[in-house]
Amino acid sequence: MSEVITETPKLTKKDFVSGSEVRWCPGCGDYSILATVQKTLAELDVPKEKYCFISGIGCSSRFPYYMNTYGFHTIHGRAPAVASGIKVANPELDVWVISGDGDGLSIGGNHLIHMIRRNVNVVFLLFNNRIYGLTKGQYSPTSEVGKKTKSSPYGALDYPINPLGFAIGCEATFVARTLDVDPKHMTEVLKRAHAHKGCSFVEIWQNCHVFNNATFSGVTDRQVRSDQAIYLEHGRPLVFGKDRDKGIRLDNLSPHIVNLKDNGVKEDDLMFHDEHAIRQTHSAFLAHMEFPEFPTPFGVFRDVERATYDEALNLQLSDVRAKEGEGSLEELLYDGDLWTIQGATETVEVDKSN
């Protein structure tokens, strides 16, 4: 009798397209991100039923409806907490979290801090358009000072959060930035984020065509991108420009732009990118290089190893079960010191240890 060999069918982008009508405004950068994520998942060696997408509230948070995977549209700012619980309870799942600059860095900021510092093994995608889009154009935690919106008609006074600086400050083990108008680069970053074991924080610059159009155009437009963006490569010097004739040099712990055509300036004099640096100093330098003073870095800022919370917790639980057994809810409820209260018809025992 001949052996029957069956092959797992190869997934395509269409396998991840749900039947839900995609309802974002025409021109929204979310369309590009959605298509790129669907295409990227098909290229990863993960069974479709292992994917799970979690979101909070906002335009970006409609994402799970448009993905033909398991998913959960949670409440405002709570996606990191829900995703952490899912990963701990179901460590075999491939968990992705979708959030926006408002959902993730305002009401959800505290939850995000703890997911990052615990190093829960999930991919967190922060769509940053510097505005509240779903609620029709209020300024967000990443809006620039002076931004005039419906909630700041005379200009925003708040100093904006730097998303990558925030993540690095929380000691994220993987930090990266990409942009909606460069799907090839986004694919590379998403694959790197997925391959990382730990919490992968990815900021995606995303254009809101209706309420904050062209907020990143000074960097992202094709005509200027080569001079205003710098693509990070591990172990390589920070060189940029249409003619690759400019670079970043570190002088007295401050970055400076230098011209490689000047006499005596060589690539060896430049700052070299080290995404595996344990201390956050290097990645923090890069995170705070901002347009128009500096070219904006894109790519992987930091990729270091550290134990993941979900794996450590499950190992701890396994060790306790092996030593003490499964235990029971009844034993837990009645363990410790108890008060005995005698009533008219019944006796009630109350835990007095609390």
Side-chain angles (χ1 to χ4, degrees):
M1 184 176 179
S2 60
E3 182 181 359
V4 177
I5 300 176
T6 59
E7 294 184 0
T8 303
K10 183 175 177 56
L11 297 173
T12 67
K13 175 179 175 290
K14 290 183 179 180
D15 291 308
F16 294 96
V17 177
S18 75
S20 299
E21 179 186 359
V22 181
R23 302 189 66 181
W24 285 314
C25 302
C28 178
D30 288 354
Y31 285 99
S32 172
I33 301 172
L34 175 64
T36 304
V37 169
Q38 290 169 333
K39 179 178 177 292
T40 302
L41 294 191
E43 297 174 3
L44 301 177
D45 188 22
V46 177
K48 181 180 171 183
E49 64 273 13
K50 295 295 185 183
Y51 288 114
C52 184
F53 278 75
I54 312 299
S55 67
I57 296 297
C59 294
S60 64
S61 293
R62 295 174 178 172
F63 215 87
Y65 295 113
Y66 308 145
M67 295 295 300
N68 188 16
T69 64
Y70 291 113
F72 195 171
H73 188 184
T74 74
I75 56 179
H76 208 183
R78 272 56 178 182
V82 174
S84 297
I86 289 173
K87 186 62 182 180
V88 167
N90 302 274
E92 75 283 357
L93 291 181
D94 206 302
V95 180
W96 296 61
V97 186
I98 308 297
S99 187
D101 45 301
D103 179 63
L105 296 175
S106 185
I107 190 170
N110 194 51
H111 291 290
L112 183 55
I113 286 173
H114 298 299
M115 187 180 75
I116 292 174
R117 73 173 180 85
R118 288 172 176 147
N119 200 32
V120 182
N121 190 15
V122 304
V123 177
F124 185 92
L125 304 184
L126 183 88
F127 296 16
N128 183 11
N129 55 21
R130 294 178 172 172
I131 203 76
Y132 277 104
L134 186 68
T135 50
K136 309 301 185 285
Q138 298 82 10
Y139 77 98
S140 85
T142 58
S143 297
E144 61 272 29
V145 174
K147 181 71 176 179
K148 293 183 177 182
T149 72
K150 294 178 180 178
S151 58
S152 57
Y154 301 106
L157 301 176
D158 302 16
Y159 190 80
I161 292 176
N162 180 315
L164 297 189
F166 169 87
I168 292 166
C170 295
E171 299 196 19
T173 54
F174 184 96
V175 178
R177 177 193 284 142
T178 186
L179 56 167
D180 59 359
V181 294
D182 193 346
K184 181 179 178 182
H185 184 264
M186 195 193 312
T187 299
E188 295 172 356
V189 168
L190 292 177
K191 287 182 176 180
R192 286 287 309 276
H194 178 264
H196 177 74
K197 187 177 181 181
C199 186
S200 296
F201 182 96
V202 180
E203 178 192 16
I204 305 177
W205 278 15
Q206 176 258 328
N207 189 49
C208 177
H209 186 70
V210 176
F211 296 107
N212 202 23
N213 189 35
T215 185
F216 298 116
S217 61
V219 176
T220 61
D221 283 358
R222 289 185 179 275
Q223 297 87 342
V224 299
R225 198 184 305 170
S226 58
D227 286 318
Q228 302 300 344
I230 185 166
Y231 287 88
L232 303 175
E233 298 177 76
H234 177 66
R236 300 288 299 166
L238 301 185
V239 177
F240 67 103
K242 184 177 180 180
D243 299 321
R244 304 281 294 173
D245 58 350
K246 289 176 281 187
I248 303 296
R249 185 171 64 189
L250 207 58
D251 294 328
N252 295 323
L253 296 181
S254 296
H256 296 277
I257 297 175
V258 295
N259 194 320
L260 294 175
K261 292 182 179 179
D262 291 345
N263 292 332
V265 179
K266 306 183 296 296
E267 285 195 3
D268 287 346
D269 300 324
L270 302 180
M271 185 177 177
F272 279 66
H273 181 42
D274 181 8
E275 63 187 34
H276 303 313
I278 298 300
R279 293 186 179 275
Q280 300 105 302
T281 309
H282 176 80
S283 53
F285 269 126
L286 297 174
H288 289 90
M289 282 173 45
E290 297 180 331
F291 174 83
E293 185 180 4
F294 293 103
T296 300
F298 293 94
V300 177
F301 287 62
R302 192 165 194 250
D303 183 3
V304 298
E305 295 183 4
R306 198 172 75 228
T308 66
Y309 177 79
D310 40 291
E311 186 176 68
L313 180 59
N314 279 290
L315 286 173
Q316 184 184 67
L317 291 175
S318 297
D319 184 56
V320 171
R321 288 193 188 102
K323 293 178 179 177
E324 302 182 13
E326 285 291 335
S328 70
L329 181 59
E330 184 177 12
E331 290 177 357
L332 178 64
L333 291 174
Y334 288 95
D335 184 36
D337 297 328
L338 300 173
W339 292 99
T340 299
I341 302 174
Q342 293 183 337
T345 58
E346 61 180 350
T347 298
V348 181
E349 291 185 335
V350 180
D351 186 351
K352 67 180 181 181
S353 61
N354 295 324

